[in-house]
Amino acid sequence: MTTIVDALPDEQRAVMTRAIHLEYWNIGWTISIVVAMGLVLGQSQTMKTAWIEDTLGLVPPLMFLLAAHVERHWKPSRRFPFGFHRVNSLGFFVAAISLATVGSVLLWDSASTLLAAEHATVGSVRLFGRDIWLGWLMLAAQLYSLIPPMIIGRKELPLAEALNDKLLHTDALMNKANWLTGAAGIAGVLGLGLGWWWADSLAAAIISIDVIHDGISAFRAATAELVDGAPREQSGNDLSAEAEALRRELERRFPGADVRMRETGRLIRAEVCGVPAPVEPIDLGELWPGRSETAWRLDAVSFSAW
């Protein structure tokens, strides 16, 4: 018996290794950002929003590394005879919940501050024998928090596509949310410096709405995957174009059949119901209607006479 990763093509195994290394870098940079932001929080709502988001941003990469460990080392057993293909789906579900939760908490916090008309102030700190406006340190921390998520998120997207990894894609969305938070945070701190008390909370609220949208979309796709829904696109809850093309091809080859498909982690399994199985074995690679480099995703086609 082999592990999930052992069954992947050589190219995908190499991509998995690169993704694991990238996620370790992601965690290291994120921890450094959390520490830097925590040191200069002050009373800024945007800084608080960014700090919470950066902290919870550790969830997706940690879940990816945990799922990758299971996929690389755990084999089917008597307790788990079908293996652990859904472990990535479970990690995707947890990451989607964390993304949606982050956005909801931040929106509530920001809206409450706006409705209460709380006037946040940014004071001064004593540094190297001089009084320095804390806002300058906040801006430096926000600028620092922009760079790693922007770079890592862009590197994650092609790896997620090559692996059909929705968990890794969700982490890229979290990194996008993090650098957007940093950009809006700079605007919020500058607004406070100009005396616009509302700018800080308004910037945080705008960010949180975008985060909620991404989180809910990922949550819907993750839930559908866990309950054997039809395969979804990597980004969003739309049905997978490749899977739909596969369904049409199977219906063409087996007229009158009821074709059902589900996604288990990275793989697609199809069941053709109501027709007898063909005498000759089916070439899954030839059957796959999508790009040849993604044909590995079709794991099995089974037949049922009823």
Side-chain angles (χ1 to χ4, degrees):
M1 290 186 291
T2 61
T3 66
I4 296 172
V5 173
D6 289 337
L8 292 176
D10 292 341
E11 182 179 350
Q12 273 64 43
R13 288 204 296 270
V15 173
M16 173 69 83
T17 300
R18 293 202 300 273
I20 290 171
H21 292 162
L22 182 62
E23 289 300 66
Y24 277 116
W25 278 103
N26 189 10
I27 290 173
W29 281 113
T30 301
I31 291 175
S32 71
I33 290 171
V34 169
V35 172
M37 298 282 283
L39 292 174
V40 295
L41 276 180
Q43 297 182 22
S44 168
Q45 183 66 31
T46 307
M47 290 295 294
K48 180 181 175 182
T49 298
W51 183 80
I52 293 173
E53 185 177 13
D54 289 331
T55 302
L56 291 179
L58 290 168
V59 174
L62 288 172
M63 291 304 302
F64 175 84
L65 291 176
L66 178 60
H69 175 81
V70 173
E71 289 180 314
R72 295 174 83 192
H73 300 290
W74 291 21
K75 299 179 180 180
S77 64
R78 289 186 61 188
R79 287 182 177 272
F80 298 93
F82 292 100
F84 300 91
H85 291 282
R86 289 190 188 274
V87 68
N88 185 269
S89 304
L90 181 60
F92 175 40
F93 181 75
V94 174
I97 290 177
S98 70
L99 191 62
T101 301
V102 166
S104 301
V105 171
L106 300 183
L107 180 60
W108 171 260
D109 210 8
S110 304
S112 299
T113 304
L114 277 173
L115 291 174
E118 295 179 8
H119 292 230
T121 58
V122 180
S124 300
V125 293
R126 193 76 175 173
L127 194 64
F128 304 119
R130 291 183 143 190
D131 290 328
I132 299 177
W133 182 52
L134 185 59
W136 295 121
L137 300 181
M138 290 180 177
L139 290 173
Q142 291 281 21
L143 282 171
Y144 172 64
S145 73
L146 284 174
I147 301 171
M150 188 180 296
I151 296 173
I152 292 173
R154 288 182 178 275
K155 287 181 175 292
E156 285 174 330
L157 287 175
L159 300 181
E161 182 178 356
L163 290 170
N164 188 50
D165 196 308
K166 294 185 178 70
L167 174 52
L168 192 60
H169 187 268
T170 302
D171 190 25
L173 291 180
M174 182 69 88
N175 277 305
K176 172 190 171 186
N178 286 343
W179 73 258
L180 284 175
T181 301
I186 291 173
V189 173
L190 289 174
L192 286 178
L194 294 172
W196 301 340
W197 65 269
W198 45 266
D200 187 45
S201 296
L202 182 61
I206 292 172
I207 299 164
S208 62
I209 292 172
D210 183 66
V211 176
I212 290 172
H213 175 268
D214 289 339
I216 291 176
S217 179
F219 176 77
R220 292 175 62 192
T223 303
E225 191 170 324
L226 287 175
V227 297
D228 285 338
R232 265 45 171 192
E233 291 287 356
Q234 190 173 76
S235 178
N237 195 44
D238 295 331
L239 295 179
S240 167
E242 289 182 324
E244 287 297 287
L246 173 62
R247 178 183 57 78
R248 290 191 294 270
E249 175 63 19
L250 287 170
E251 290 174 343
R252 184 189 67 80
R253 293 196 182 198
F254 304 98
D258 179 21
V259 179
R260 306 169 186 171
M261 287 183 295
R262 60 180 177 172
E263 196 168 23
T264 53
R266 311 177 194 285
L267 305 177
I268 290 177
R269 292 183 170 92
E271 183 176 352
V272 183
C273 305
V275 297
V279 177
E280 298 293 329
I282 295 178
D283 184 343
L284 298 183
E286 179 187 347
L287 182 63
W288 181 252
R291 295 170 294 142
S292 58
E293 59 267 27
T294 62
W296 60 271
R297 291 189 58 205
L298 181 56
D299 183 60
V301 176
S302 59
F303 290 82
S304 175
W306 59 85

